[in-house]
Amino acid sequence: MKLSEFGFNLPEDQVALEPPYKAFTNDDGSVDKIYRRDECRLMVLHRKSQKIEMYKTDEDGKEVKGADGNGVFMTFRDAIKYFDEGDTFVFNDTAVFPARLYGTKEKTDAKIEVFLLRELNAEFRLWDVLVEPARKIRIGNKLFFDGDGPMVAEVIDNTTSRGRTLRFLYDCPHEQFKSELYGLGEAPLPRYIIDRRPATPDDMNNFQTIYAKNEGAVTAPATGLHFSREMMKMMEIRGINFAYVTLHCGLGCFDPIEVEDLSKHKMNSEQMKIGKEACKLVNKTKDEGRRVCVVGVSTARATETAVGTDGRLKEFDGWTNKFIFPPYDYGLANSMIANFYHPESIMMMATAAFGGYDLVIEAYKKALKNGFRFGCYGDAMLILDD
């Protein structure tokens, strides 16, 4: 397929800048927000019948109407009713760290954004980073963090046009160094959010899944952000199983695709691991003919990297640059939860590959028309194989 087939006009006011919330005004006029991550809207796609659902229904299957006479939109919690005891959800349990820091360049005091990608060497405090503006940062430059504090980094190599290798000049035990480094950082929100508002302390919680376990991601597996502890408890009571895999999400999903022919696009590699326990649970679910639901594109890419030709999930410990776009036959899952993504994004393409291009494009049109929100904090879709 071609890149242009995934283009559409996304109004700026339909890009979600924070999760769903309820706001309360205090006596002093200040406003507090209580975030409700599982109260985003939900759209359900049935890929065999080509049916699309948006509104709540009662026990008789009739559409629930609001006070205005219009249908009441489903919320994310309504996804539970489509699953039964013995079904399995597959989650990506990677954890994001506060990867975005701001420092100043020696002598000029120019403000520099430093985005931590990964630690290269713990002993020598070497990190692979991106810097902005890159044109100002050369080998040998020193960057100072936290004002007059002790955290200093020296640029020792250029890796890409924006990439640099930093050596942090900080003499202390490694865990203390890492703790203090992270203390300077903020949630690594996508550029389309950070360009519209500053990160807040709430974002470090909101931009982390509640089941995050293995640190290493520089962006969140966004679809998983919708799951609350209350919702997962409800799923557990219903008898739904949870399987966990790890794929450390990098920035490759946000890199613009610069070729019209999608078969010529190359993804950056990301580290992933799938263990024996997840394989055993997922394969048992498949053997019993029940639903296996992958939560998000990162989870789908991980499981599709590790699925065998027999349709069974295999253990895996390595790297993947799996790029999924239509036409593509998924080998493992028979249901999927995804967000509504930006135009021409690899996440949108992977979703269209699962649900079918025509059905997913129709869902996007309905989402745009009905005010659904897009992006990592936006609304969700559930795709079922019925």
Side-chain angles (χ1 to χ4, degrees):
M1 296 196 77
K2 297 186 181 301
L3 176 64
S4 55
E5 295 179 84
F6 294 90
F8 62 92
N9 179 41
L10 176 59
E12 189 170 319
D13 62 1
Q14 283 186 245
V15 177
L17 300 183
E18 53 189 330
Y21 64 87
K22 295 188 183 301
F24 299 91
T25 303
N26 300 313
D27 293 339
D28 61 1
S30 62
V31 177
D32 287 330
K33 296 177 180 178
I34 298 179
Y35 292 97
R36 309 283 193 183
R37 59 174 71 209
D38 60 11
E39 291 186 0
C40 69
R41 289 186 189 178
L42 177 72
M43 187 181 294
V44 180
L45 283 61
H46 303 264
R47 62 182 182 182
K48 287 183 180 176
S49 66
Q50 298 288 289
K51 180 182 176 183
I52 297 177
E53 297 178 79
M54 288 190 298
Y55 302 110
K56 291 179 180 287
T57 56
D58 59 22
E59 294 180 355
D60 297 323
K62 294 182 179 179
E63 191 175 287
V64 176
K65 302 290 185 180
D68 58 2
N70 295 321
V72 177
F73 287 106
M74 286 190 287
T75 62
F76 191 71
R77 282 195 184 191
D78 289 310
I80 299 176
K81 70 181 183 182
Y82 294 94
F83 295 88
D84 297 311
E85 181 178 354
D87 292 337
T88 295
F89 276 56
V90 187
F91 298 96
N92 180 6
D93 67 3
T94 188
V96 296
F97 58 92
R100 182 175 280 113
L101 290 72
Y102 295 95
T104 55
K105 183 182 174 184
E106 62 175 339
K107 298 180 182 177
T108 67
D109 286 337
K111 185 177 181 179
I112 304 297
E113 177 185 305
V114 174
F115 195 95
L116 304 173
L117 295 177
R118 59 183 173 274
E119 189 172 40
L120 300 174
N121 184 293
E123 180 182 358
F124 294 103
R125 311 288 195 261
L126 299 182
W127 278 78
D128 184 18
V129 307
L130 298 176
V131 294
E132 189 69 38
R135 67 183 185 279
K136 295 185 177 182
I137 303 301
R138 297 180 174 88
I139 294 174
N141 289 158
K142 286 188 173 64
L143 301 175
F144 295 84
F145 299 90
D146 197 25
D148 297 325
M151 191 71 75
V152 181
E154 180 182 11
V155 182
I156 65 170
D157 195 13
N158 297 329
T159 54
T160 64
S161 60
R162 294 175 55 222
R164 302 290 186 270
T165 300
L166 297 188
R167 178 174 60 208
F168 285 90
L169 309 175
Y170 200 74
D171 186 18
C172 67
H174 180 256
E175 287 306 312
Q176 179 184 342
F177 158 72
K178 213 168 179 184
S179 174
E180 296 195 19
L181 178 65
Y182 285 1
L184 298 173
E186 63 184 32
L189 298 175
R191 195 85 249 170
Y192 62 81
I193 293 180
I194 208 70
D195 286 345
R196 291 173 172 83
R197 68 161 178 87
T200 69
D202 285 332
D203 283 309
M204 204 56 235
N205 179 62
N206 291 337
F207 202 58
Q208 188 84 275
T209 64
I210 63 167
Y211 47 80
K213 180 180 179 182
N214 297 306
E215 180 188 288
V218 294
T219 188
T223 304
L225 298 177
H226 301 305
F227 288 84
S228 66
R229 287 179 173 80
E230 295 80 7
M231 181 173 173
M232 293 189 76
K233 187 62 178 180
M234 292 165 62
M235 294 167 67
E236 184 181 333
I237 293 171
R238 197 176 181 93
I240 297 170
N241 303 309
F242 306 147
Y244 297 95
V245 302
T246 304
L247 185 144
H248 294 312
C249 305
L251 297 181
C253 290
F254 298 103
D255 289 338
I257 297 177
E258 298 177 342
V259 291
E260 178 69 1
D261 181 353
L262 296 180
S263 66
K264 295 179 179 171
H265 177 68
K266 303 299 180 185
M267 286 278 296
N268 290 326
S269 293
E270 295 164 315
Q271 192 172 12
M272 59 167 279
K273 184 174 183 178
I274 297 179
K276 181 185 297 185
E277 186 176 341
C279 293
K280 183 178 179 181
L281 180 54
V282 169
N283 292 333
K284 180 176 182 290
T285 305
K286 290 203 71 175
D287 291 343
E288 293 174 350
R290 301 188 182 278
R291 279 186 167 143
V292 174
C293 181
V294 285
V295 176
V297 168
S298 67
T299 310
R301 291 178 56 238
T303 55
E304 286 303 296
T305 297
V307 68
T309 55
D310 58 356
R312 298 177 68 80
L313 190 61
K314 314 291 185 184
E315 293 180 57
F316 189 98
D317 190 353
W319 297 75
T320 182
N321 63 350
K322 189 82 172 177
F323 174 39
I324 301 173
F325 61 94
Y328 179 87
D329 291 326
Y330 278 76
L332 185 80
N334 50 26
S335 55
M336 179 184 194
I337 298 180
N339 279 23
F340 285 92
Y341 303 107
H342 279 67
E344 298 184 345
S345 63
I346 74 108
M347 292 84 75
M348 180 185 179
M349 294 167 188
T351 306
F354 190 89
Y357 175 82
D358 291 338
L359 183 63
V360 169
I361 292 299
E362 180 61 26
Y364 269 65
K365 290 177 180 177
K366 287 181 178 293
L368 289 165
K369 182 179 178 181
N370 288 278
F372 278 59
R373 304 193 313 159
F374 286 65
C376 63
Y377 282 149
D379 295 318
M381 75 164 62
L382 166 64
I383 307 174
L384 300 171
D385 191 29
D386 58 13

